[in-house]
Amino acid sequence: MSAISIYHYLIVAAILFATGLAVAITKRHFVGILLGIELMLNAVNLNLVAFSRYDSDRLSGQLFALFVMVVAAAEVTVALAIVLRVYGHFKTVDPDKLDELKR
Amino acid sequence: MEVAAFYGFSALAILAALFILFSKNLIYGAFALLLAFLGIAALFVLAGADFLGVAQIMIYVGGILVLLMFGIMLTQRASQQDGPSRHNRVEVPITRRLWGFAIGIGIVGVLAKIIFSANFRMSGDAVSRKSTIKTIGVELMTSHLLPFEIAAILLLVALIGAAYLALNRNPAQ
């Protein structure tokens, strides 16, 4: 039917997920970590949509991806509010500098 | 044609994601994330999910990315502005970069091995020439009604919680 098999979508999503994970690990900025998390959530959505192609009368995958989007929106708002509070309190955006628990 | 579009948009998304990984400027990273989101929205459309593609553009590009840029701007360091290259710098220590690359490449390898060794047997063919909006609407209002309502409550709670958390209750001002 379609020339693009499901493996293409899965490989693209795997590469995007790994890139998002590497971004979330390497960045030393709270917002940078959030960028990586958003990228990972999008990669997972791509998987769900790709599998949902084969389920065209119920579309469970697309509905799940829709709820993932809603939860991602809620998550990023609360995370940014927490980042603003942390920045106002500690005057830093580097997660390595917040070593209160080590002292 | 479809194959060329698929490869083009997936290359756009992956290159933008890699640019986020390698760029040292957070604003550039946010704009690259915009490109990645647009590429992923195009991939959604190519996979037959037209409604989700539009929702992706509206929610992620219109909402989440603007929020992230506000976050970047509001956490600017006003004191350390020595030179134009100082803004939004994200310094990455070398050990962390090594760990990030190692884990990223490792997880790509593991996922590729799993994907190629999994023998997916689909129940139907990949048919998507009709619009998905009607199906999504009917499913949301019938079999997925409870998650739909819970999502509404969750959004309300997140809105109130974020507004309360971000309130400026600094007594000095």
Side-chain angles (χ1 to χ4, degrees):
Chain A
M1 186 72 202
S2 175
I4 307 163
S5 73
I6 188 147
Y7 293 100
H8 291 77
Y9 285 102
L10 294 185
I11 288 296
V12 170
I15 294 173
L16 282 175
F17 184 87
T19 314
L21 186 64
V23 168
I25 290 173
T26 52
K27 294 291 181 204
R28 286 179 70 195
H29 193 293
F30 285 124
V31 184
I33 294 172
L34 277 180
L35 297 185
I37 291 173
E38 294 303 319
L39 208 55
M40 283 195 275
L41 285 168
N42 256 291
V44 173
N45 271 350
L46 191 57
N47 270 350
L48 291 170
V49 169
F51 274 110
S52 162
R53 261 198 323 170
Y54 296 91
D55 184 21
S56 62
D57 50 343
R58 291 191 55 227
L59 292 179
S60 310
Q62 292 195 21
L63 285 164
F64 204 103
L66 201 61
F67 287 118
V68 169
M69 276 188 195
V70 171
V71 175
E75 168 248 335
V76 78
T77 47
V78 175
L80 274 175
I82 292 174
V83 167
L84 285 186
R85 295 307 295 175
V86 168
Y87 177 72
H89 194 260
F90 292 100
K91 299 291 178 214
T92 180
V93 285
D94 189 351
D96 285 350
K97 295 222 176 82
L98 302 179
D99 49 0
E100 288 250 302
L101 291 178
K102 269 189 197 166
R103 289 178 195 155
Chain B
M1 186 62 205
E2 202 180 342
V3 178
F6 175 82
Y7 281 118
F9 284 120
S10 50
L12 175 73
I14 290 172
L15 286 180
L18 286 177
F19 182 80
I20 301 171
L21 181 59
F22 289 115
S23 99
K24 287 193 173 5
N25 191 322
L26 206 57
I27 286 282
Y28 292 167
F31 278 110
L33 192 69
L34 178 121
L35 272 185
F37 283 163
L38 288 179
I40 292 171
L43 288 183
F44 282 1
V45 174
L46 280 180
D50 47 357
F51 177 71
L52 269 188
V54 176
Q56 159 97 0
I57 290 178
M58 285 176 67
I59 294 177
Y60 275 101
V61 179
I64 291 180
L65 210 59
V66 173
L67 264 180
L68 285 173
M69 290 207 183
F70 267 108
I72 294 171
M73 285 190 280
L74 287 176
T75 55
Q76 284 273 20
R77 230 168 299 177
S79 60
Q80 289 190 351
Q81 289 182 348
D82 47 344
S85 63
R86 183 66 210 168
H87 296 273
N88 304 310
R89 292 284 287 200
V90 180
E91 280 133 20
V92 179
I94 188 69
T95 57
R96 187 182 280 228
R97 172 158 278 192
L98 279 180
W99 274 111
F101 284 140
I103 291 176
I105 291 173
I107 211 165
V108 163
V110 170
L111 285 177
K113 187 175 182 303
I114 290 172
I115 287 169
F116 284 121
S117 64
N119 194 6
F120 295 118
R121 197 161 297 153
M122 296 303 169
S123 60
D125 279 337
V127 280
S128 239
R129 286 289 170 262
K130 65 184 174 76
S131 171
T132 62
I133 298 176
K134 187 180 176 193
T135 316
I136 286 180
V138 168
E139 289 283 321
L140 268 185
M141 278 297 137
T142 53
S143 59
H144 292 72
L145 190 57
L146 183 64
F148 185 68
E149 299 291 337
I150 292 176
I153 300 287
L154 174 76
L155 280 179
L156 182 68
V157 169
L159 177 69
I160 296 175
Y164 178 72
L165 273 177
L167 265 186
N168 191 5
R169 38 185 132 76
N170 191 355
Q173 291 176 359

